[in-house]
Amino acid sequence: MICMEYLSRALNCATRNSEFNFHPKCAKLRILHLAFADDIMLMSRGDPISVRILMDCLSNFGVKSRLSLNMKKSNIFSAGIQGQDLRDILNITGFQQGRMPFKYLGIPLAAQKLRASCYAPLINKIIENISAWSVSSLSYAGRTELIQAVLCNTPKPIKVINGI
């Protein structure tokens, strides 16, 4: 947790570089990354300069912490980026290009509206959580509370638009 906090602060400092561009849908709130335990998703506008700034930050973090990226598990997901910019970004990172839709922490993510079938695993998981309880012994109000608690604690899908 301490390492991820350090990385989070270092990434936030990197965004002070005037050449860095936030992802268009994240700029207003200045959202740069999502992190959970040792898993992190970085977001920026899909330009090579912004990606280089993030990769330099990750490289500095690796030198200081002696932690390294798992290149086999790291991917670039892009929407609306193609041609030379995409080739430059792939060269800068050394990552493979991932395909959308993909899952992050079990939630499907895509650049466009997902079909209902993409949510089937999430819906099945919700049903399993509700079924795990012995609902036959609960009153109608108790069942309603149980369903509401399960739904409120289920992560919501995120839509990724134009960028990395």
Side-chain angles (χ1 to χ4, degrees):
M1 292 301 294
I2 293 171
C3 287
M4 289 304 280
E5 179 64 24
Y6 178 85
L7 177 58
S8 180
R9 290 177 187 218
L11 287 166
N12 286 331
C13 286
T15 64
R16 293 186 190 128
N17 184 323
S18 62
E19 294 183 319
F20 180 81
N21 295 301
F22 283 92
H23 184 282
K25 297 292 183 179
C26 301
K28 186 176 180 182
L29 297 174
R30 299 181 57 84
I31 297 172
L32 172 65
H33 62 285
L34 299 173
F36 180 78
D38 65 346
D39 197 30
I40 190 163
M41 179 187 291
L42 300 173
M43 296 158 285
S44 75
R45 181 171 289 150
D47 61 88
I49 294 170
S50 296
V51 173
R52 167 65 65 203
I53 291 168
L54 293 179
M55 291 306 294
D56 288 346
C57 184
L58 289 174
S59 178
N60 290 335
F61 172 75
V63 168
K64 292 176 182 174
S65 67
R66 295 188 181 165
L67 297 174
S68 61
L69 295 171
N70 185 333
M71 298 301 280
K72 291 181 181 179
K73 292 183 179 180
S74 300
N75 290 291
I76 292 287
F77 295 95
S78 65
I81 303 168
Q82 48 196 333
Q84 190 60 44
D85 277 346
L86 181 58
R87 287 189 293 277
D88 289 346
I89 289 169
L90 292 170
N91 286 332
I92 290 167
T93 63
F95 299 158
Q96 295 292 317
Q97 184 175 7
R99 297 176 53 134
M100 289 191 194
F102 67 99
K103 287 186 180 182
Y104 179 69
L105 302 176
I107 305 298
L109 303 175
Q112 67 279 349
K113 186 175 182 177
L114 291 170
R115 296 182 311 270
S117 62
C118 294
Y119 294 100
L122 182 61
I123 292 168
N124 290 337
K125 189 171 184 175
I126 291 169
I127 291 169
E128 286 175 22
N129 286 340
I130 291 170
S131 299
W133 286 71
S134 176
V135 293
S136 60
S137 64
L138 293 175
S139 67
Y140 181 78
R143 287 185 216 161
T144 302
E145 284 296 316
L146 173 62
I147 291 169
Q148 187 175 15
V150 169
L151 290 175
C152 286
N153 290 307
T154 302
K156 309 299 184 271
I158 300 170
K159 186 176 178 185
V160 179
I161 300 176
N162 294 334
I164 293 178

